[in-house]
Amino acid sequence: MNLQNILTEKRNDHTFDIDQVSTLEMVKKINDEDKTVASAIESILPQVAKVIDWIVAGMKKGGRLIYIGAGTSGRLGILDASECPPTYGTSPDQVIAIIAGGDQAIQYALEGAEDDEEKGREDITAKKVGPNDVVIGIAASGRTPYTIAAMKQAKELGAKVAALVCTPQSEMEAVADEALVAEVGPEVVTGSTRMKAGTAQKLILNMLSTGTMIQMGKVYSNLMVDVMASNEKLKERAKLIVAEAAGVTLEEADAAMKEFKSAKPAILSLVTGLKGPEVAEMLQKHNGHLRAAIEDTLKLS
């Protein structure tokens, strides 16, 4: 293995002296490098949008978004997937994440797991991956054997496959149907890809899941109207969302939430005057897209 040709393994000439400067100067250097991440992603936005469109098309046919990776990359996938149910009311099996080494690797570093190609194939097969699924292989270096094997297996099973990497011309890029290559450059501490590379991966994963949920009708304006009101904070957030979207008082929003149990139907009822089963029927007619349901109802009234 030749790490010298991997961009994320090269030395950063802006930080040669980072072990000699003051603490303030040290964090300024880290911050300066972090500032470059967003611009590195900007150049691949068309590819990110393309992958979002794949995910949406697949989900409309019952497919899933599946992240897979090892180490930090795997944990970032888990972080993104685990936030979708409370934020957007998705089922836990609609956006899922697989990490090399399984659940134990979420908390503990199991570095050898990333080399297990057979387990990569097994983990994808166990999820019954199929043609409506989109699988995202995540690895800063683009060379993780576990992830490459998983991506190849997913392609054989008919899934669309993308690579989220931070070094160009990698094996993962070659395997993928589409590559999201965020060239963030060498890390502040050589090879510590939980830094700029991890930040880039997190930003792109945010875009993939958020963009998908917007397209699936789980956002109205910029409000998370499918938020799962499962604790006191989220119940209060849902009430505020209803009040904001419907232009009503918090008391009126609270009453509607008590009746409908979730923000989206509460908003539709308050804005249009629809009652009872009519609310669910109109949302179903428009596949959960609140704006379309409101416009259709007002047009008919």
Side-chain angles (χ1 to χ4, degrees):
M1 182 194 309
N2 186 0
L3 293 181
Q4 292 178 329
N5 295 327
I6 297 174
L7 182 60
T8 52
E9 297 293 333
K10 294 184 181 298
R11 292 185 70 190
N12 189 325
D13 58 12
H14 297 148
T15 60
F16 284 156
D17 62 346
I18 199 165
D19 63 333
Q20 298 173 287
V21 299
S22 70
T23 304
L24 177 58
E25 186 61 26
M26 175 185 68
V27 295
K28 282 181 176 179
K29 285 178 178 286
I30 294 172
N31 184 237
D32 285 343
E33 291 300 309
D34 287 342
K35 290 175 186 176
T36 68
V37 174
S39 57
I41 294 171
E42 186 175 4
S43 64
I44 61 166
L45 291 180
Q47 292 93 324
V48 174
K50 180 179 179 180
V51 174
I52 291 171
D53 288 340
W54 285 354
I55 299 164
V56 172
M59 281 191 177
K60 287 180 178 178
K61 299 174 184 176
R64 301 163 295 172
L65 168 57
I66 301 172
Y67 299 131
I68 190 160
T72 297
S73 296
R75 294 183 195 103
L76 287 168
I78 289 168
L79 175 63
D80 196 72
S82 65
E83 291 290 345
C84 288
T87 307
Y88 298 112
T90 61
S91 64
D93 59 357
Q94 195 169 21
V95 182
I96 62 177
I98 307 167
I99 185 170
D103 288 350
Q104 188 181 5
I106 298 172
Q107 187 170 356
Y108 301 103
L110 303 178
E111 301 297 350
E114 72 174 52
D115 296 326
D116 193 339
E117 296 180 43
E118 182 57 34
K119 197 67 171 72
R121 289 187 287 269
E122 288 176 4
D123 286 349
I124 282 292
T125 303
K127 293 298 181 184
K128 296 182 170 57
V129 169
N132 294 327
D133 297 323
V134 177
V135 174
I136 314 288
I138 312 168
S141 67
R143 57 144 301 276
T144 306
Y146 169 89
T147 309
I148 292 167
M151 291 168 64
K152 289 179 177 177
Q153 182 69 7
K155 287 187 75 172
E156 287 184 16
L157 294 170
K160 287 276 194 184
V161 174
L164 172 49
V165 298
C166 296
T167 195
Q169 300 177 330
S170 66
E171 188 174 350
M172 281 174 57
E173 181 178 352
V175 169
D177 297 307
E178 187 62 66
L180 309 178
V181 186
E183 295 188 40
V184 296
E187 295 288 1
V188 168
V189 175
T190 306
S192 182
T193 52
R194 70 188 184 90
M195 299 186 76
K196 288 195 298 180
T199 300
Q201 290 171 333
K202 178 67 169 67
L203 291 173
I204 294 169
L205 292 171
N206 282 348
M207 289 181 186
L208 292 173
S209 57
T210 304
T212 296
M213 296 307 156
I214 292 170
Q215 297 282 39
M216 293 294 289
K218 293 183 172 296
V219 174
Y220 174 71
S221 182
N222 60 355
L223 300 171
M224 54 173 83
V225 289
D226 270 332
V227 62
M228 189 179 294
S230 55
N231 62 30
E232 288 306 313
K233 181 190 76 173
L234 293 177
K235 287 176 184 176
E236 188 65 20
R237 178 179 292 166
K239 186 168 68 175
L240 289 168
I241 287 169
V242 172
E244 184 74 24
V248 299
T249 65
L250 287 175
E251 290 74 19
E252 290 171 304
D254 187 46
M257 279 295 298
K258 286 176 180 174
E259 179 181 355
F260 291 100
K261 311 303 180 190
S262 59
K264 187 182 284 182
I267 295 165
L268 180 58
S269 177
L270 287 166
V271 172
T272 65
L274 287 177
K275 301 295 181 183
E278 296 175 327
V279 175
E281 289 168 8
M282 185 57 75
L283 285 171
Q284 186 175 14
K285 177 182 176 181
H286 292 283
N287 298 312
H289 287 257
L290 178 57
R291 187 178 298 280
I294 290 172
E295 291 175 353
D296 189 16
T297 306
L298 295 178
K299 183 177 65 178
L300 294 171
S301 62

